Amino acid sequence: MSVPPHSPSLLTPTVPTDAAPGATLPALQTPDDAGTGVTLYPHGASLTGVRFGGCEPLLYLSPEAVLDGSKPIRGGVPVCFPWFGVHPCDPNQAKHGTVRNKTWDVVHAHAGLSPVDGGDESNTLGFDALLKTQTDRFAAAYRVVAESNDTATGGTLQLSFHVRNSTDQPQLFELALHTYFVVGDVRQVNVTGLHGRRLIDNLADTESPMRPLRERHRFTEDREQLRFDGECDRVYLDVPGPITLNDPVLARTIELTQTGCPSAVVWNPHVETSKGFSDLPDNAWPGFLCIESGLIADDAVTLAPDGEHLAEITIRQQAL
């Protein structure tokens, strides 16, 4: 994959960065005529839109997502860090960590012609942005690179998450890049690449919804293909990848290859659970499927003082 060079120049935010409460948050956004359409909000480092050429959008964004900064954005790729789900020690802490509802610093953001080997420019418009933030224990940097392929029937999205322990004590963290994929109809898609993996089924532990994932029972996936005729909320562990989402309605495949982040969450709320979300239409569930990549439960990482870890996810969209 050819990657646009780092650039000190920033894409123009869609609205001023000092927008008043209730107004739309500022976002980094590619021009309307770009071959690769991307929208990235510094709020939560939320990647909410990716479109390759004339294809259907890659990512689902709820039409009722709150974009005023008062809560995390529903859809796209929310960043769950430094823990996933309920905090392992304090259930009163924010679910899925603290960084998804804070504004990240933009180090660079660039949209333009992507260089190819040899230094010449290609005709493919790409996107490259780097954001960073700091918690009480960690420094984190998040890079988003997107590029359409030459035939304009798909493209590649690469997400890189770098963590450093900024304390003088060992620190454990979890991570999930909570990717919402657009699908033609979730009841007609299938997912491969998870057969034989250990998993935590959150729907099998409904009596203890606040129990940390590390304390829950482990099952083994016995299906070659996952299909979705009801709610699904599963955390797969130690997945070698790749994972493939096959969508016959949109006539495309989406392949995820993970390095340094072997957990995979597969989630769709279906009918009843959708009714519990104020920022998600009740009838939206057939149009998306979440396949999240990360480091969860058994796959969580403990970093030594000043230790570092890099998690990388490559997502390739191709026509069937």
Side-chain angles (χ1 to χ4, degrees), residues 16 67 98 113 153 187-188 196 243 285:
L67 299 174
T98 56
L113 290 172
T153 59
R187 294 161 292 193
Q188 298 189 49
I243 302 168
W285 61 268

Side-chain angles (χ1 to χ4, degrees), residues 80-98:
C80 305
F81 175 81
W83 61 86
F84 176 81
V86 177
H87 189 281
C89 302
D90 183 0
N92 294 318
Q93 294 274 2
K95 190 175 182 180
H96 294 318
T98 56

Side-chain angles (χ1 to χ4, degrees), residues 49-111:
V50 175
R51 185 193 294 267
F52 300 118
C55 302
E56 290 289 326
L58 177 68
L59 303 178
Y60 172 83
L61 176 66
S62 171
E64 297 180 7
V66 177
L67 299 174
D68 63 4
S70 62
K71 63 185 299 183
I73 297 172
R74 173 71 60 186
V77 189
V79 177
C80 305
F81 175 81
W83 61 86
F84 176 81
V86 177
H87 189 281
C89 302
D90 183 0
N92 294 318
Q93 294 274 2
K95 190 175 182 180
H96 294 318
T98 56
V99 302
R100 68 192 189 122
N101 203 34
K102 64 182 295 188
T103 300
W104 292 51
D105 297 322
V106 179
V107 179
H108 79 255
H110 174 84

Side-chain angles (χ1 to χ4, degrees), residues 8 20 61 68 88 95 104 112 126 135 141 144 188 193 217 233 240 252 295:
L61 176 66
D68 63 4
K95 190 175 182 180
W104 292 51
T135 73
V144 176
Q188 298 189 49
H217 182 73
D233 188 359
R252 71 183 185 186
L295 296 155

